[in-house]
Amino acid sequence: MPTTRTTGHFTFADWKESAVTGEDGLPRLANATVTNAFSGGIEAEATTCDYAITYLAGEAGAFAGMELVAGRVDGRAGTFVLEERGRFEDDGTVHCGFEVVEGSGTGELTGLRGTGGFTYRHGETKVAYTFEYGLE
């Protein structure tokens, strides 16, 4: 399957976090529901994302989540789900890799496969991403 590499940016439109375990002690767990807006190769006005977060020490930790994207990839309309895994550091830097959940593509994105990622640095308002994908 030939692949295409595309890039763009996303912004956090909304972030709601709630503790799963107590605020005291480490490690501690939290959930976050996030809305993102994508532009560039992936276009989506408002995604739906849910993260499970582990705080390990200070502001460092790890997360995993699923993000439902309804929009377009390089002009093709449909929906798909991204499985995301990453880590965050004390300085606010976030590293994340993501992969399309096999079988989640709909519409013109049926058969979508792909991987990508981003690095967010504290204070950025737009986060650059890369996405390499193919359609079966």
Side-chain angles (χ1 to χ4, degrees), residues 94-116:
V94 177
H95 304 278
C96 180
F98 54 79
E99 182 173 358
V100 174
V101 173
E102 187 175 342
S104 67
T106 67
E108 294 175 308
L109 300 175
T110 299
L112 179 69
R113 292 181 185 250
T115 60

Side-chain angles (χ1 to χ4, degrees), residues 65-77:
M66 296 285 190
E67 185 164 16
L68 176 63
V69 180
R72 297 181 176 279
V73 175
D74 286 337
R76 294 177 186 88

Side-chain angles (χ1 to χ4, degrees), residues 10 12 91-96 118-128:
F10 71 90
F12 299 104
D91 68 0
T93 302
V94 177
H95 304 278
C96 180
F118 65 86
T119 298
Y120 164 81
R121 288 178 176 71
H122 183 70
E124 291 180 334
T125 57
K126 293 171 82 173
V127 182

